[in-house]
Amino acid sequence: MYENVMKSAERFKARPLGRDQKIGGMKQREDLLFMKVEQEQAVPFITWLKELGGFGHLVLFTAVDFIEQDIFQITYLLHSYEQHHDIVVLVEIDRQKAEMESIHHLWPHAATYQQELFEMFGITFPGSPRLYEDFALEGWQGPPPMRRDFDTKEYSEKTYFPRPGRVTHDPATYMKEQLYPGEAQTW
Amino acid sequence: MDNDSNNKEQLDEIRKQLTLANNDVREGEQAYFCDARPVVVEPYRGILERFANWARSESLWILGFGTGCGAIELRPLMTSRYDMYRFGIQPRPTPRQAGVFVIGGYASVKTMKRIVRSYEQMQGPKFVVGLGSCTINGGMYWDSYNTINRLDHYIPVDVYIAGCMPRPEALLAGFNALKAKIRAGECDGMNKYAQNFDWYKANQKQIIKHWEMPDYNW
Amino acid sequence: MKDIAMKALYTLISLFVILNYGLLLTGTMARVRAKVQGRIGQPVYQPYIDILKNNFLRTSIYHGVMFFLGPVFRLAGGLGTYLFIPVIFGSTIFSNFAFSGDLLLVMYFIFFGQLGMALGAGQSGHPYSPIGVSRGLAQMTAFELPFALAVISIASQYGTLSITGIVAAQQGGILNWVAFTNPLAMVAGMISFLGMSMDNPFSIVLAPQEIPIGPPTEMNAGFLGMLQTNRAIFNGAKLVLFMNLFFGGAGNLLVMVVKTFLLYFYVVFVGASFPRFRPDQSIRFFLGIPTLIGIAAVVLQMV
Amino acid sequence: MVSPIYAIAIPLGAAFLLPLFEKAGKNAAKALVLAILAALTALPVSWLVVWIVNTPNLAGLLRVSPLAVDTGGFPAPISIRLAAGIGEALVMALVNLTAFLGITHMLVRSQAKPTGKTLVLLLTLVTGVNGLILTRDLFNIFVFLEITSISTYALIASNGSKRAYEAGFKYIIAGSIASSIYLVGVIYLYRLTGSLSLDHLPRSGGTAIALMLLTTALLLELKPFPANGWSLDVYQAADPGISAMVSAVGASGVLFVLYKLTPLLSPTHLRLIAGSGAVTFVFSQVIALRQTDVRRMLGYSSTAQIGLMLLVIGSGRGTIPTIVLLGLLLGNHMLSKAGLFWVTDLIDGNRTIASMSDSGSLPALARNKPLLVAMIGILLAALAGLPPFPSFWAKWHLVSALVPNGRWLLVAVVLGGSLMEAGYLFRWFTRFTKASEDPGDVHQERIPADVPVTTRPQTGTVSSRSGKEALARQAASTAAATQATTQTIPQVVRQAEQPVEISGSPVPTIIATLVLVFGGIAAAVGFLAPNQELILLVPLAVLLIGALLDTLRIPSKIQLLLGMLGIGVYSWLLLPSLGGIPLVFGLLFLVGGLLQMIALMQRKGHQPGLAVLVSTLLFSLGNLLFVQSRLGFFFSWELMSIVSYLLIVRGRAASGAALRYLMFSLGGAYSILVGLVLLPTGFAPHATSSLWAGILLGTGFLIKIGTVGLHIWLPGAYAEAEDEVSSLLSSVLSKAGLFMLFTTAGLFIQPLLRSVPGVTLAYLLGWLGALTALAGAFLAVFQEDIKYTLAYSSMGQMGYMLLSFALMTQLGWINSMYLAVTHLLFKTMLFVAIAGVVHRTGTRLMYRMGGLISRMPVSFFSVLIGIIALSGVPPLTGFGAKWMLYTALIEKGWYLQAGMAFFASAIAFLYLFRLIHTIFLGQLKDEHREIREAPLWYLVPQLIAIIGIMLVSMFPNLLIKPLEMAIAGYFPQTIAWQGSTLVSTLGYWNGNAVMYVTMGVFLVPLVWLLATRRKHNQKVRQFNIVYSAERPDRPQTTHYAYNFYAPYRSALGSFLTPWATRFWKRVLSVVRVVGSSTRRIYSGDGQTYALYVLLYAIVLMLLLRGGN
């Protein structure tokens, strides 16, 4: 399995994030593989995975805003029922030109993910059905709220009548001081 | 009423004020909806109103609409552990018949739209219980882009129950507080809403786009 | 003139008794159900407060003339049904207007309220209302069949369709009751009574979770109060009818209270023990065994 | 008197001289031919006139001595004698008239005018036929046979087409074989007896085989089944004008010869002739059913008619002389068949008329040339044996001759064949009225796709960013779609509206039709006069007057007013003379009919046939009230059926339904016919008779009532007829069967089995009634089409009436009539109110309506009252009916029927609620936002009916007491009155008190609500509903109406299978299969046909041997 995918990955210029490589300081599961692929090769690669690689199930489809590198990382999580194996395809796209090929022709339900991604991140998927319709936010008029340059606190304060007198405590200190003063040492 | 034309014009003027423009209803759909404004209804006087208030307080019908995570606390309230029926409280599936609206925690903008519509469909006098911190000041969602912070800017609230989550005991205490308030004749959210309708509506419309309904959902 | 005045007075007394009895019975049974569920339950007088509260509501909405008349029809149906049944055997006060017609009149007058209510609910324009009505009517046609067969069996047994006559024939000991002289008719009738009560196995009409309470979805305030009032009276009327038909009627109020309480208790007992049927299941149920029992009861009278 | 010899000499001479005349000018020759034929027609007519003037009565007329001429001056055995008796004169007149009209037709038509040669041949043919009719010499007959045959071959072949030559050749082969056999027979006979004169041949035995040879030959000439394949190509291949001549004229001569032979023949011969006729009749009809070409179908019909006449000849003497019967049938056949052939000739632009399958232009024809279509209708009715045409009377007398002799097989053949004939003839006729949308079968009514009616986009929410564009795009696309549909519709219509041209003059056909009509009326007068029942012809007079007004294009309103006036006067004169049950039904028919006619006043302009048919229908219903004789009754009954058929067929998509109605009506009528003949004491009220009479009459009446199993026609007829006419049919006409049941009630009370005294026909009727009530209710529940719902509801209600009637107790009968009267009132309300709704909304599908209460409050109120009255909810009239029904049932001991009836009445609630809810309550549709209340003419009858219902509800004894009086004396008294309380042995009912109590209990909560909800009770609109905090998208998606009782359907499962429909479909398919497989014996090969002819002859001979 692994070899098979790797062989084709070369064709699509997909780069595995090595199995032994620790991501976030933890060892990966045996049945999970991360692949990084260029934007142009992403959909062909996913198509190959679906049609020939046996990864018939689109489990998850989301995006991460790496504002520091000025990219959106799009994440496709695929699953193969035959091999009991997951594969994560990571694609980085330009944050300034947030546009990605649609995969709704592979999985119809991907259209809904894309609708959500458009609403939350402003990533467009040309040709995706109902892309510009409201998904979760009815009549949202601000910038896409999940972009990290969108200041939700400021927006909230501006929009939702903050009640004055709100105090924020650090839970650990607050607990120590207020609730369990005698047991402070046990913490 | 005489047929004096002056008088008639005046009446028309008054009637115009009593009807809503319903600007948010789509073209050609005005005829589907009632366009009357909510009106302030004077309470009965004296002992009759006190008696009525007692009856209202002893028969609290909750609208079965779990708007947020706090609604989970209503279930144990119904079952044998807490048994809210003892206090004359029972759930009701339709706003037409319910008298108490328990806002179960955080209210996103999307939910808020439904809350307002349902609130308006309830028949007065109607009472609102804000459940959990989220309804008071946004709670843990205080800086969320999509969750309101203060419920009382959108609909009149009679009782707040603080906590995240408040336990069923707190809810019962809240209901009892509501009962006391009702008996004291202090719960007049319905008239408050009607009186300050434009303010409430402006607040609601500030956050809720695509209203697509009449301004007051009869 | 004096006669009419007296009759009016008797009617008022009779209605007063049945209204209070019906409300208290409803309250009591709610407590019984609560006990089954391990709760304490609402106060016995809760139905009174609910009706009061609904009538005290300051605003209300209506959808049109038929919507307005729906509850009127319903309550008129309940009152009429009750008033055409003699409640206490041999009592002038509680004989009501039983002289205007016999059992057939009562059986058909039950439809009066249902039809009117269905029309009122229909005008609300809410899709759940006609869904509820369609289920209710469909179920009604099914449970009326065994009931009708039971009634026919009794009528042929005693040679009368007069309720007073049927009660009179059952006097003189517990063994003279239809329940013992014609047990098949009683069984068929009592099964359809379950359907008529719309309690649990057959409560799909209201289905609070699925189609929020069905026909009266849009009913509010005073309209709802009127429906609740009717519920008490109509329940009482049905209980009295079944008591008269199968269990020897009642010679005084106390006997009536005991018998009807037990009858209602039976409904609640079944309701608390069984889950709910789908409409097609309940139709098939009533058209099956209970109808066969009813036919058997009728055939036994023929041979 | 002119000698008969001229009848032969003139045409023969003229035929030879014609080429000479042609030299003088074509027109001279044509004029000569016409003059000769006119003279030939006039000749026998002149004899007839002289005889009729000289003889006082019919019997004398039949015994008049024939006009005989011995040729050559020698007496008969030596010379050839020509003799013309009454029969000869009659047949000759008909033959020559038809020939005259036929040649005229061919001369005046625009294309394929006959050449001189054709005229010569036609004259020769006429000569031959005249000779056949007149001569009394067997060999001379052979000569004329040959003359006829040869001219026929030549005529057929004169068309010049390949098919015509082939057809002619086959004809020659078969004809030659027949001639040879005849010649052998003649020789044999001469050898045996030494004489060939019909008047001198011995009537004793020994000549059987010789006579059989003659008979066989003549039979073969008459194209008997199955040895007739050779003749049938003629009809399709030859010129229709010539087909008409061959079909109408050619055969009649041979037929008459056979008739002349009958005195010589033994009973075995006759039986063979009758059998041959019967076989031919029935099989030709079966095959005709499967024909796709109209001329071929008419050809089979001709063969069948000849078969019928053979049957008449062979079945011997009946109630009236054979010759009269034969004359009626022959005249009817000749004129109608020739007329039909001519019509196909007239409208033969692209042969569309001649094809059964492709007939798109026929409706256009009906619109453009209504008179022509009316004429076709008359000709078809005559051919099918409907009153008052001659063959109707012949059919009656034929059956009444056959039944007492116990010849059941022949009766079955005659009636079954006639039924099939009416079936295929009118199937063709319905093509003229067929609309583009014909629902065909009732159980598969097509529900059109729900086209988007608004141009509004259908999505609930539209995104902010591109919302406007999306909205605009959607709106544009919808608008385009709408435009496209509006553009295509006129195209479709234009396609259907092909102009239909008439080529030639219809005058000869019109004359034939008129002769038929007047012959029919003369026959009617002749047959009805002996019983002093000429008053039964009043509906016919109305029909004629109305037809006249219609041709003058008098507006329908005026016609209707005249009709109402006429019915008013008629009722005024008739009703006081009636009493008891007839009076009740008289009021019901006539006054109820008047009520219905008010609704028809809504029609604007000239509606061809509407007013006249309605008036005629009501008059013929009036006939039933007082008719005494069996024949008179049967005449009135059939007249009513055919008139109501014509009314139904006017509906927009009613052709299939109307045809079903006609078929079941005729089937019922034939059943009644046999039943009537079986009644020994004649038709009189409460006659008691044999069981079979009861069963047959009962079946006929049950069909009219629409009992379950026989109800197939009912829903379609009621639903597809025009909306106001449906009301008339359902509320008035359906009671005709019930009335007849009441009138013949005595038939139904005898026990079926001696051992079980309780089981009578009435007992069966009771079960049927209960089943009908249940089936009607169940079928009504699951309809989407409102008129089908009402139609099935009518069926269910008729079931209650039947059940009550069948009880045969006082209360039962009172209830049956009480139901009949109240059903009239509430069905009027329902049907007319629904007619108004359909008129305004333009749809009959319930789920497309909704919320109309605000737009049509009066109609709503009327429907509300109607459904309360129908359902039996107190305090309105329905409860009285239910109370009486159950009381009577339980008194009688019919407990299970009572249970069934109760179940049916509970089911009725389902469809009634559905009816009122889906139309008037729920969500108002956009397209109905501006509609108005129903027209005033619709409201008036509804209001009258409401007043009636309210009165009867308030004071039930207003109706029940007169009904009680109407049936006083029939049954022992089982009910009593205590004030206004009706007391039975079981229970009691005080309608008055119930009304007061109900009003009381209704007022109390009403006043309470009005008082407490006086203020701050906001009236809201249709979308202000609790919709899970959402808003409804569109009224269409919010209105719960389609498939309303889905759970019930799934609960009942296979119980709802339409068994009856399935059964009748199976019957139809069996008949069709028989037709198709029988048709296979016609291989189209001349040799095979010749073989058939020979085999046929041999089989006949063998049968004769076996018979001896």
Side-chain angles (χ1 to χ4, degrees), chain A residues 35-55:
Chain A
M35 301 287 281
K36 206 157 206 171
V37 67
E38 290 303 309
Q39 189 176 355
E40 306 79 54
Q41 295 291 335
V43 173
F45 182 49
I46 291 167
T47 311
W48 184 89
L49 285 175
K50 185 194 175 211
E51 303 295 343
L52 299 172
F55 289 86

Side-chain angles (χ1 to χ4, degrees), chain D residues 292-299 341 344 353-356 428:
Chain D
T292 50
D293 185 283
V294 172
R295 290 202 192 114
R296 216 176 155 86
M297 182 186 89
L298 290 176
F341 271 116
T344 63
I353 191 173
S355 166
M356 287 293 277
W428 182 52

Side-chain angles (χ1 to χ4, degrees), chain C residues 69-194:
Chain C
L69 290 180
V72 176
F73 265 100
R74 194 80 171 107
L75 183 55
L79 288 173
T81 310
Y82 174 70
L83 287 181
F84 290 129
I85 304 173
V87 181
I88 307 268
F89 180 62
S91 153
T92 1
I93 301 178
F94 290 100
S95 72
N96 291 344
F97 291 93
F99 56 83
S100 354
D102 49 33
L103 183 52
L104 291 173
L105 177 68
V106 176
M107 284 169 73
Y108 270 90
F109 209 83
I110 291 176
F111 296 140
F112 184 84
Q114 284 173 346
L115 187 67
M117 176 62 204
L119 293 177
Q123 208 195 5
S124 73
H126 200 293
Y128 290 161
S129 300
I131 290 176
V133 171
S134 94
R135 290 173 177 187
L137 283 179
Q139 193 171 286
M140 177 203 77
T141 60
F143 66 66
E144 286 286 345
L145 182 58
F147 178 54
L149 288 168
V151 165
I152 292 167
S153 177
I154 298 172
S156 62
Q157 180 186 1
Y158 294 125
T160 179
L161 274 166
S162 148
I163 301 176
T164 318
I166 291 171
V167 175
Q170 297 180 60
Q171 297 305 308
I174 206 168
L175 287 178
N176 286 352
W177 293 1
V178 172
F180 296 99
T181 56
N182 194 348
L184 284 179
M186 188 273 285
V187 170
M190 288 318 286
I191 294 177
S192 49
F193 184 52
L194 289 177

Side-chain angles (χ1 to χ4, degrees), chain B residues 26 29 32 34 96 114, chain D residues 456 460 926 1024 1029-1031:
Chain B
R26 281 191 296 238
E29 293 191 344
Y32 291 145
C34 175
R96 293 278 186 232
R114 276 78 188 173
Chain D
R456 210 163 52 70
D926 292 339
N1024 290 112
E1030 282 296 336
R1031 49 157 285 176

Side-chain angles (χ1 to χ4, degrees), chain D residues 269 359 399 407 417 433 586 639 642 707 748 965 988 1021 1055 1061:
Chain D
H269 288 119
S359 47
V399 172
R407 306 182 80 162
T433 56
L639 193 62
I642 178 74
T707 323
F748 305 113
M965 274 187 290
Y988 48 88
R1021 304 255 178 92
F1055 181 75
T1061 313

Side-chain angles (χ1 to χ4, degrees), chain D residues 714-999:
Chain D
L714 184 143
Y718 286 2
E720 298 297 346
E722 288 161 300
D723 301 338
E724 312 91 332
V725 175
S726 298
S727 172
L728 176 73
L729 296 175
S730 157
S731 44
V732 176
L733 185 67
S734 58
K735 315 293 185 308
L738 188 70
F739 171 64
M740 290 323 294
L741 281 180
F742 271 105
T743 315
T744 56
L747 296 171
F748 305 113
I749 50 174
Q750 292 159 359
L752 284 176
L753 301 165
R754 277 182 210 295
S755 50
V756 195
V759 182
T760 59
L761 274 181
Y763 183 75
L764 289 185
L765 286 187
W767 271 111
L768 270 178
L771 268 176
T772 307
L774 190 61
F778 260 123
L779 287 165
V781 169
F782 299 111
Q783 304 300 321
E784 299 295 340
D785 185 323
I786 182 170
K787 285 185 74 187
Y788 277 95
T789 309
L790 285 180
Y792 279 118
S793 153
S794 286
M795 173 183 157
Q797 293 295 313
M798 291 308 294
Y800 288 122
M801 289 175 222
L802 182 60
L803 176 59
S804 308
F805 161 78
L807 279 166
M808 301 284 172
T809 61
Q810 188 197 21
L811 202 54
W813 275 35
I814 290 179
N815 185 39
S816 190
M817 285 192 283
Y818 177 89
L819 261 173
V821 174
T822 52
H823 183 251
L824 167 77
L825 293 173
F826 60 67
K827 263 296 146 56
T828 303
M829 269 147 60
L830 287 174
F831 261 116
V832 178
I834 293 314
V837 170
V838 173
H839 180 76
R840 289 292 189 222
T841 60
T843 177
R844 291 191 336 212
L845 297 172
M846 285 192 275
Y847 63 85
R848 289 213 177 160
M849 309 172 189
L852 291 177
I853 178 173
S854 58
R855 309 302 314 164
M856 312 179 85
V858 181
S859 299
F860 168 76
F861 182 68
S862 155
V863 171
L864 178 65
I865 297 291
I867 68 165
I868 295 180
L870 194 155
S871 60
V873 169
L876 295 193
T877 53
F879 176 69
K882 296 282 186 281
W883 183 85
M884 286 193 277
L885 178 68
Y886 299 127
T887 308
L889 280 169
I890 297 174
E891 274 177 355
K892 178 96 174 178
W894 289 11
Y895 302 137
L896 291 178
Q897 289 93 322
M900 210 171 203
F902 193 93
F903 189 38
S905 89
I907 301 288
F909 272 98
L910 298 183
Y911 68 75
L912 291 174
F913 175 72
R914 180 180 188 180
L915 183 87
I916 196 165
H917 169 263
T918 45
I919 297 174
F920 290 104
L921 305 175
Q923 296 281 341
L924 184 66
K925 304 288 164 61
D926 292 339
E927 61 269 31
H928 301 153
R929 206 161 283 288
E930 299 301 325
I931 59 173
R932 282 172 295 136
E933 179 56 85
L936 185 67
W937 287 116
Y938 283 159
L939 297 182
V940 172
Q942 291 175 46
L943 292 179
I944 295 174
I946 290 177
I947 292 169
I949 287 277
M950 290 320 258
L951 266 182
V952 176
S953 306
M954 201 67 190
F955 309 104
N957 36 12
L958 273 186
L959 181 56
I960 298 177
K961 276 191 175 155
L963 292 179
E964 192 187 341
M965 274 187 290
I967 59 158
Y970 289 113
F971 302 104
Q973 186 84 10
T974 56
I975 56 170
W977 290 91
Q978 289 174 0
S980 54
T981 307
L982 181 59
V983 183
S984 73
T985 56
L986 280 172
Y988 48 88
W989 166 54
N990 185 341
N992 222 333
V994 172
M995 195 73 177
Y996 289 130
V997 173
T998 313
M999 275 152 72

